[in-house]
């Protein structure tokens, strides 16, 4: 029992909310501005409140843009056998570093092509000022 970061698989599962498209609201960039704070509408200025944009179908806000989200898993590049979804991009091999957990979702300086459910990064390749976290609660169903 307790609180923890989401795993990478949990993050993508709740982000997608049962959808199969690259973004939970569809493939178009036209709607991106109402769901995400990213390089086109942020002017790379300060982050916004998480509820400033529309939620996904599970009611979760701020999954795209604004700040990358730390996940519990260590960064490992995907191999072709490990691909979680069709639109996953392959990253470079990770560098050894104390903080090598994976980050997901994009940030306020991400381009529209990187604002998608499968977005994943090695945190060493981004600005740490653009990283946040989402807390998950683990509980037991037994009394």
């Amino acid at each position: 029992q307790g609180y923890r970061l989401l795993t990478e698989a949990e993050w993508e599962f709740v982000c997608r909310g049962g959808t199969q498209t690259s973004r939970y609201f569809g493939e178009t960039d036209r709607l991106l501005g109402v769901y995400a704070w990213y390089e086109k509408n942020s002017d790379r200025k300060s982050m916004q409140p998480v509820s400033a944009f529309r939620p996904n179908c599970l009611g979760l806000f701020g999954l795209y843009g604004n700040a990358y989200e730390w996940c519990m898993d260590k960064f490992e590049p995907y191999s072709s056998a490990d691909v979680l979804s069709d639109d996953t991009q392959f990253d470079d091999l990770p560098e050894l570093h104390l903080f090598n957990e994976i980050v997901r979702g994009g940030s306020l300086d991400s381009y529209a092509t990187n604002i998608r459910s499968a977005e994943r990064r090695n945190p060493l390749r981004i600005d740490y000022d653009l990283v946040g976290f989402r807390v998950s609660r683990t509980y037991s169903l037994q009394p």
Side-chain angles (χ1 to χ4, degrees):
Q1 290 185 337
Y3 296 92
R4 63 179 175 79
L5 296 176
L6 295 169
T7 66
E8 181 179 8
E10 289 170 335
W11 190 95
E12 188 164 338
F13 179 81
V14 299
C15 180
R16 287 188 181 279
T19 64
Q20 299 294 317
T21 54
S22 64
R23 299 177 179 131
Y24 54 76
F25 57 85
E27 301 288 349
T28 182
D29 285 357
R30 282 193 341 246
L31 297 174
L32 196 51
V34 297
Y35 287 95
W37 189 239
Y38 68 113
E39 66 83 30
K40 190 171 183 179
N41 62 355
S42 73
D43 294 326
R44 297 185 176 168
K45 294 181 181 172
S46 62
M47 292 183 199
Q48 296 298 303
V50 83
S51 62
F53 297 90
R54 292 187 183 166
N56 72 358
C57 62
L58 297 177
L60 296 171
F61 291 87
L63 291 159
Y64 298 140
N66 213 17
Y68 277 99
E69 294 186 19
W70 288 105
C71 290
M72 188 185 315
D73 304 313
K74 296 291 184 191
F75 179 85
E76 295 291 337
Y78 286 149
S79 71
S80 59
D82 297 331
V83 175
L84 297 176
S85 59
D86 291 340
D87 62 288
T88 301
Q89 293 178 350
F90 295 90
D91 288 313
D92 298 331
L93 292 174
E95 301 170 25
L96 294 176
H97 193 273
L98 179 62
F99 300 107
N100 204 26
E101 289 83 3
I102 197 158
V103 293
R104 299 292 303 254
S107 70
L108 62 90
D109 72 348
S110 294
Y111 294 109
T113 56
N114 294 334
I115 300 294
R116 58 198 184 84
S117 299
E119 175 66 2
R120 65 191 304 264
R121 295 280 174 186
N122 179 332
L124 299 174
R125 307 224 190 307
I126 60 172
D127 183 344
Y128 282 101
D129 292 344
L130 302 177
V131 177
F133 60 93
R134 185 175 302 267
V135 178
S136 175
R137 175 102 193 252
T138 301
Y139 64 93
S140 173
L141 296 177
Q142 299 174 1

